[in-house]
Amino acid sequence: MKFNQFGRLDPDFATQVAELKQIHFLPGDWENTPPADLLSILFARCFPEVATASEITDREERILVNQDTSLAQLLAKKPDSITRAEFYTAALQLLDFIVADDFPDLDALQAMARWQLPTVTADPLQGQDLVAAFYLLLATRGKNGQNFLDLLTSRGYFNGFFTASEQPHFVFFNGKSQAVFDTTKIIREVVYVESDLDTDQDGQRDLLQTTIFRPAETDQGLAVPVLYTANPYFRGTNDMAPVSYDVNKDLTPKVPNETQYGDIAYHHAQPLIPDGHTVTGETKSTTEKPVDPGIYSLNDYFLARGFATVYAGGIGTRGSDGIRTTGGPEETESTIAIIQWLHGDRIAFTNRTDGVTIKAWWCTGNVAMTGKSYLGTLAVAAATTGVAGLKTVVSEAAISSWYDYYRENGLVIAPVDCQGEDTDVLALDTFSRRKDAADFQRIKPVYDKMMADLKAGQDRETGNYNTFWDARNYRKHADQIKIDFVSVHGLNDWNVKPRNVEQLWNKLRDLPINKKIFLHQGKHIYMNNIQSIDFTDMMNLWFCYELLDVANDAPAVLPNVTVQDNAVPETWHHYTDWSEPTTPRTQYFMSSDGLQEQPPKNEEIVSFQDDGTPLFLASDQNAHHWESLLMSRQTSVYEHTRKLFLTPEFTKDAYIDGTITVTLQVAVNQAAGQISCMAIDYGQEKRLKADPSVLQAKGQQLGYGWAVDDVKEFQLEKTPSEFHQIAKGHMNLQNRHTPWQNDALTPGQFVTLHFALQPTEHHILAGHQLGIMVYATDMGMTVRPSTAATYELDLNASRVEVPYRR
């Protein structure tokens, strides 16, 4: 175990005392309290689930401070101090570490150093040193990944915290909001925000169903900020309805053109807006309760800490009006309409029919957006509008350009495990209005036209970047982002591929905003419950700074770039930047002897066949199995369909930082062709799994008697593996200059391709080799031609550039 803690503050002693008093942990007259009594009082605070002295003694009797003495026995002697070793032996048990399992030798100080848990240096502990030790303990992470004050909270520490005469208010400790709010009385309600859209063309503005969860304390006058998640899946999906496209087809030759970007650039034209719905009155009370629970445990964590949470599916989802457009400008407008209502700039109704409006009177007007995948994507889209009220975004595994999700360099490219999916397929999946038969029937002609427009606009025939895709490229408007920004992405995410976050990061780099990025080793996942990093604490620090104006200096405290090491478990590095254009690059030349740093001399032309589709379709049709066989250096039926080039073994560890670029001189014996390229780490090694393992099911309590979450961690494989895919990339030979321009391709003619693989941050261990594999058809992502083709590579003009962190 190792516990990386980036979100812990180290305030001066006077601040520690003030905060300990504020949470009622330290007696007001502590300086005049006899040392032995103070020691007993502070340890007694660590058992909020019991009420009597005898019960506290019973709990203390279960904790060892040394091999022969329990905490109760030690305190019974009325000591004036406690040794550092005794204190931390007890502290580890309070943090839920098990002596028999975790530190059987009772060497707590050595264990804490090994696990990277902080300690005070004073020995023995009394007076100010004792107070400082307890302050640090409350901010220290326990075995389940939560800090000790969170553990105490889950056992009732803050129950009944406010006196009858005291107004509810936020309580902060170590720069973070605490769970002093009564989660048994959460207010759940629904409103209908009026948009400026009429996407279903019924002559009325689209109403957007919005689900609210807010602390009951808001009814007592407390105004709170909002964590808002725009979630197209919130009201259900049409899982049985979508039908994927057939990808078992030959690549279509394209008609050459000289298209320029200006020819296909999207320019938004504001449609006519119908008059607003008739208003008959105004109220502060809603009439409808939600039928769907929250979907994100990070939001639930903050709901217990005073942040309201809001979910809205947007246009075309059940309970709302409109039509889905899969990332189109209408979805962006639908998303920000909710923020505008929360900020007081738009009206909402209590229901769809009565015309009674309601304001977000309980909201401060400060909003943050959260969510993963499509949810995080809409957060990115909203940020590019500069909408008032949006203060920050935490987007995880988000799309920044839909072309980079479904296309690449003139090719139709599927997200992993989604072969044949496209924008129209996703639009159908998220169009949950379809579940209400009469509602769907009324707008079906408009819906059918929308689906036809999506099908035509996405253009699966050419795979080119066009006006349709330009309208769904949020990076075009990145210069409009005025708010602080947090991005989270998995380096093994082949659903929303890392280019989406890297290209957005490149846009954010020079903007005058605070920006942070977290890169983990997972796939398409959330990271808020990973044991080895305090992501939840960091976001608590961040949201308090951004939404509540707490002077905790979060932008300076949190690293700009936090990256999980792929080779060393539970290790997170922090850097000032990632994938900088100025990162030094090592150039490798492809040769018959592998990848070499010396330029080639009279190298040969090598060839490989692209005829694997019949083999793949005749076997198990598992793209992951195919990919494993392709990468293996062992003999396989696919060996002839690729060319593999390897570096010599690395003599010392190296860190790839950013985007590997490939230049190939290639020819194909047909009028159409596609090239795929993969970077691979070779070497027998137990590697981190890309799916984190559950360490404790429901091991995190997010408040008292409130929501729970599993504790997870990325663990090593049980047996060594031969290789690991680092990155990959694809290109259509006819789009070798831009994804919107078609170049002529003559069979047998050599052309130059220059393209980037997906960006990464990868630790290559000494003794390993970097492999670059060149092939054509990617069974998991590209179309799968049945017609065999022969590709040739001129090794005299083929090279790779790899950025290494120095």
Side-chain angles (χ1 to χ4, degrees), residues 203-218:
Q204 294 186 317
R205 295 192 186 196
D206 293 341
L207 294 178
L208 307 172
Q209 188 185 75
T210 303
T211 296
I212 301 157
F213 303 96
R214 58 182 172 91
E217 289 79 1
T218 53

Side-chain angles (χ1 to χ4, degrees), residues 1-215:
M1 289 180 291
K2 283 192 290 187
F3 296 86
N4 299 270
Q5 195 162 6
F6 298 104
R8 179 175 55 80
L9 305 182
D10 294 308
D12 58 38
F13 183 69
T15 302
Q16 293 179 30
V17 169
E19 291 185 9
L20 288 169
K21 288 181 178 179
Q22 183 186 23
I23 65 169
H24 306 165
F25 196 89
L26 185 66
D29 61 345
W30 71 274
E31 291 174 299
N32 299 319
T33 302
D37 291 346
L38 181 62
L39 190 61
S40 293
I41 290 170
L42 295 180
F43 270 115
R45 297 280 199 268
C46 299
F47 306 98
E49 69 274 20
V50 298
T52 66
S54 61
E55 290 171 313
I56 292 172
T57 300
D58 174 67
R59 297 302 191 275
E60 292 172 342
E61 191 62 56
R62 306 177 195 182
I63 294 176
L64 282 176
V65 294
N66 60 50
Q67 203 69 47
D68 305 310
T69 309
S70 70
L71 177 60
Q73 291 170 328
L74 174 71
L75 296 176
K77 297 176 183 179
K78 299 290 184 180
D80 289 343
S81 65
I82 184 172
T83 69
R84 180 168 174 255
E86 290 171 336
F87 179 84
Y88 283 110
T89 300
L92 282 182
Q93 295 166 76
L94 291 171
L95 291 169
D96 287 339
F97 292 94
I98 307 301
V99 171
D101 298 335
D102 300 320
F103 61 118
D105 57 2
L106 279 186
D107 191 342
L109 295 174
Q110 193 276 335
M112 294 189 77
R114 183 171 68 250
W115 299 331
Q116 301 181 168
L117 296 175
T119 62
V120 297
T121 57
D123 195 9
L125 299 175
Q126 59 181 345
Q128 290 191 7
D129 293 328
L130 180 65
V131 172
F134 269 102
Y135 181 92
L136 183 59
L137 174 60
L138 289 170
T140 297
R141 304 179 67 212
K143 189 173 180 179
N144 76 339
Q146 294 180 292
N147 64 50
F148 186 46
L149 187 52
D150 278 348
L151 296 179
L152 295 184
T153 299
S154 69
R155 289 156 47 197
Y157 182 82
F158 286 115
N159 289 10
F161 183 77
F162 297 119
T163 63
S165 61
E166 196 174 10
Q167 284 296 311
H169 58 272
F170 285 88
V171 173
F172 302 100
F173 183 82
N174 202 239
K176 308 169 192 71
S177 183
Q178 301 303 307
V180 298
F181 299 89
D182 189 349
T183 54
T184 66
K185 298 178 181 178
I186 294 293
I187 297 170
R188 296 164 168 83
E189 53 194 0
V190 171
V191 302
Y192 292 83
V193 174
E194 183 183 73
S195 73
D196 289 341
L197 301 162
D198 181 19
T199 55
D200 52 20
Q201 300 175 28
D202 64 354
Q204 294 186 317
R205 295 192 186 196
D206 293 341
L207 294 178
L208 307 172
Q209 188 185 75
T210 303
T211 296
I212 301 157
F213 303 96
R214 58 182 172 91

